[in-house]
Amino acid sequence: MDSADSPIDDMHTGPGPARRQVTWRASALALFLPTVVVAAGYGGLWLALSLAGRGNGAFARVCLMVLVIGVPCLLAYAGLRLSTTRLALRGAHLEAHPGFPVRDPVIVAYAAVSGLSLRRGLSGWITGAGSLVIERDTQAPLVVPGLANPDAALAAVSERVAALAARASRD
């Protein structure tokens, strides 16, 4: 883990207040919950079919294929999203990585942010996770999905955007 990923204060060497570098990561519970629901649903259905004596039927085989092929693929996908999704606030810009399959993070200057909002799906309401939507002046909105603490991320980004706007209006 390097200093860009750490939520601790940077070493402060110059005059003025110390900058705080903050990073938000994805919520593991929110990312893995759909996989658990799929596994429990198909596993329960297969078990019910087996107990009813229909464990050799086509529907039971479909359930087994989902359990053997689909669930591991969903686990791998959730793990990749968990390890790649992040939002980091830097001095003059923010760095957002929407997660797998996006390869590189997106750099957005605070001055280019025209609006911020939160979105929550069903798993977000259950787990407290949410997606931060960053609207930009000239480009499509950027969505950072599944953040573990989206309200704090929204507040911190809003604070930095407002501070930059106040500084620009004074100059």
Side-chain angles (χ1 to χ4, degrees):
M1 180 160 80
D2 63 6
S3 64
D5 295 331
S6 177
I8 60 174
D9 289 334
D10 290 325
M11 294 296 292
H12 181 63
T13 57
R19 282 191 346 221
R20 183 169 171 87
Q21 185 171 359
V22 182
T23 301
W24 287 271
R25 296 251 179 219
S27 167
L29 183 60
L31 290 176
F32 286 103
L33 182 63
T35 304
V36 171
V37 169
V38 167
Y42 278 97
L45 183 57
W46 176 78
L47 184 61
L49 288 170
S50 294
L51 292 175
R54 300 183 63 192
N56 291 333
F59 199 50
R61 287 187 190 120
V62 169
C63 291
L64 281 176
M65 287 183 13
V66 169
L67 288 171
V68 171
I69 296 170
V71 170
C73 289
L74 289 172
L75 285 171
Y77 180 72
L80 287 169
R81 289 200 55 107
L82 179 65
S83 66
T84 57
T85 302
R86 72 181 176 282
L87 173 69
L89 302 183
R90 310 275 189 225
H93 64 274
L94 62 90
E95 183 178 310
H97 197 298
F100 180 80
V102 176
R103 192 178 127 213
D104 296 323
V106 178
I107 308 294
V108 179
Y110 293 121
V113 175
S114 61
L116 296 164
S117 62
L118 284 180
R119 278 193 294 184
R120 285 192 167 98
L122 178 61
S123 71
W125 287 110
I126 293 169
T127 63
S131 299
L132 180 64
V133 180
I134 303 167
E135 296 175 20
R136 302 179 283 178
D137 291 333
T138 59
Q139 296 172 331
L142 174 65
V143 179
V144 185
L147 292 176
N149 193 354
D151 298 316
L154 176 67
V157 174
S158 298
E159 178 183 320
R160 294 222 179 173
V161 168
L164 184 68
R167 180 182 288 169
S169 66
R170 282 185 293 171
D171 294 340

